[in-house]
């Protein structure tokens, strides 16, 4: 576990919000957060992680920090992805409780009091579970329903259904999560893998406040594939099962041909059946190679040991926080495994 300096734990609540081109949403987000935090009456910090925005997001974040020191920001050198942004934000938090939420207001800030209440009851992870998805098409709702249940069925750990990254985590959980060495991260899966006492707070997910959806269908597919590959060995075993099935079918088909030859069956054999069998076997082979390739990609990414993100600049942080993050990186490099030459 990474040592978290006690003198930096000066706040009760840290909020991590990854954003990408959210200039239309940030003013409303800021207003609602100020109202909610004012009602909570606890010391807090809000850390926005700018994942390479190209609009006016950076200037809006700077204005927030200038007007309220609770609002801080981290700016990447380019777009590294949502999961990298979440991971970066977690490393800069100092609160005893840490909330992760999206910047499109589909994770309502008004849910924070319920998350904190569950945490004070003794739960170390409180995840927001979607009871309904407002103004989402049937196709997206159907895909999400199938994916979460498929992931739960395939995974070796219990990953709750209908949950995203919106959650509250205790300080110890965050430190353990930061200490995990893997770079290709599926944060909600890692959160489940860590264990600890977990519970859910159900809510109706509102539609996006403004702007375009950043997670396109292909990105969602990639995120889902990453979740399955990161937390399940079943796809690899599926290759073995398919091979055994095809071998058994081939053996039975051969026996049928032998019997027909013995009894002298005059039934003609057309080229169509041969093409079907060849294409079927080719498809099985490509599928198994593709499955193995997905796991190989993850190994390749981990072996390269490139950092999951590059921070270009930060605003609003105490200089000691930057020194702390630099030391963490130095420790990670020092303890990184070396490959034989």
């Amino acid at each position: 576990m990474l040592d978290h300096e006690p003198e930096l734990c000066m706040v009760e609540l840290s909020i991590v919000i990854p954003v990408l081109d959210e200039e239309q949403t940030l003013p409303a987000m800021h207003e609602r957060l100020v109202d909610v935090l004012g009602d909570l009456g606890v010391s807090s910090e809000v850390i926005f992680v700018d994942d390479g925005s190209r609009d006016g997001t950076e200037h809006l974040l700077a204005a927030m920090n200038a007007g309220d020191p609770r609002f801080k920001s981290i700016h990447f050198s380019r777009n590294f992805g949502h999961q990298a942004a979440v991971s970066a934000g977690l490393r800069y938090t100092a609160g005893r409780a840490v909330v992760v939420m999206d910047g499109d207001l589909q994770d309502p800030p008004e849910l924070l009091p319920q998350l904190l209440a569950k945490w004070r009851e003794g739960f170390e992870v409180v995840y927001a579970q979607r009871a309904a998805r407002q103004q989402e098409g049937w196709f997206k709702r159907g895909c999400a329903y199938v994916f979460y249940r498929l992931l739960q069925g395939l995974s070796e750990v219990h990953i709750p259904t209908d949950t995203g990254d919106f959650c509250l985590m205790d300080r110890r959980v965050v430190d353990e999560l930061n200490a995990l060495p893997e770079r290709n991260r599926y944060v909600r899966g890692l959160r489940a893998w860590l264990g600890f006492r977990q519970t859910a707070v159900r809510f109706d997910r509102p539609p996006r406040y403004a702007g375009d959806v950043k997670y396109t269908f292909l990105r969602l597919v990639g995120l889902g594939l990453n979740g399955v590959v990161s937390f399940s060995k079943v796809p690899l075993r599926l290759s073995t099962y398919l091979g055994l099935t095809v071998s058994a079918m081939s053996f039975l088909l051969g026996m049928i041909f032998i019997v027909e030859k013995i009894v002298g069956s005059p039934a003609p054999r057309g080229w169509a059946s041969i093409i079907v069998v060849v294409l079927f076997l080719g498809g099985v082979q490509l599928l198994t190679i593709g499955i193995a390739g997905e796991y190989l990609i993850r190994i390749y990414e981990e072996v390269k040991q490139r950092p999951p993100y590059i921070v270009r600049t930060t605003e609003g942080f105490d200089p000691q926080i930057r020194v702390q993050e630099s030391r963490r990186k130095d420790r990670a490099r020092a303890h990184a495994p070396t490959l034989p030459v």
Side-chain angles (χ1 to χ4, degrees), residues 90-249:
L90 291 176
R91 287 189 174 274
Y92 279 78
T93 58
R96 294 180 57 238
V98 178
V99 170
V100 177
M101 59 192 303
D102 286 341
D104 54 9
L105 288 177
Q106 288 190 282
D107 297 341
E110 290 75 17
L111 205 64
L112 290 176
Q114 298 182 49
L115 299 179
L116 276 172
K118 288 294 184 181
W119 173 63
R120 286 168 179 156
E121 290 177 15
F123 292 100
E124 291 150 308
V125 176
V126 186
Y127 52 84
Q129 191 169 44
R130 300 156 187 165
R133 296 168 177 263
Q134 300 177 17
Q135 296 185 16
E136 288 189 0
W138 64 269
F139 179 75
K140 186 174 182 179
R141 292 198 309 269
C143 289
Y145 180 89
V146 171
F147 164 72
Y148 282 115
R149 282 144 188 87
L150 179 64
L151 177 62
Q152 190 179 72
L154 295 178
S155 176
E156 298 172 357
V157 297
H158 177 73
I159 301 178
T161 58
D162 303 318
T163 58
D165 294 323
F166 188 20
C167 70
L168 179 147
M169 292 179 285
D170 184 77
R171 177 77 258 159
R172 184 183 175 190
V173 178
V174 173
D175 287 342
E176 294 288 357
L177 186 59
N178 288 337
L180 295 177
E182 58 195 88
R183 291 161 171 78
N184 200 336
R185 295 188 160 214
Y186 185 66
V187 174
R188 67 197 72 170
L190 295 174
R191 182 185 69 205
W193 180 87
L194 286 172
F196 296 98
R197 294 189 61 199
Q198 305 198 8
T199 190
V201 171
R202 293 177 63 82
F203 75 109
D204 291 340
R205 194 184 195 204
R208 182 179 178 83
Y209 179 81
D212 298 327
V213 176
K214 303 305 185 296
Y215 257 120
T216 63
F217 178 75
L218 290 179
R219 286 192 174 185
L220 287 173
V221 171
L223 179 65
L225 186 60
N226 187 39
V228 172
V229 172
S230 297
F231 291 93
S232 177
K233 302 182 185 73
V234 173
L236 279 176
R237 294 194 177 109
L238 179 63
S239 303
T240 303
Y241 300 149
L242 283 174
L244 291 173
T245 301
V246 171
S247 297
M249 292 174 59

Side-chain angles (χ1 to χ4, degrees), residues 183 327-336:
R183 291 161 171 78
R327 288 174 179 172
R328 283 173 171 168
K329 291 181 179 180
D330 291 340
R331 287 199 296 266
R333 294 191 188 100
H335 295 290

Side-chain angles (χ1 to χ4, degrees), residues 1 41 43 48 103 109 144 172 176 260-261 277 304 318 321-322 333 336:
M1 187 179 85
S43 56
F48 287 94
R172 184 183 175 190
E176 294 288 357
E260 288 183 347
K261 184 67 173 179
V277 172
K304 286 190 297 185
D318 188 284
I321 292 284
R322 300 183 184 181
R333 294 191 188 100

Side-chain angles (χ1 to χ4, degrees), residues 4-11 45 93-95 318 320-321 324:
H4 190 84
E5 286 78 352
E7 65 270 21
L8 295 179
C9 292
M10 303 294 292
V11 298
E45 64 176 0
T93 58
D318 188 284
Q320 190 175 358
I321 292 284
Q324 177 186 354

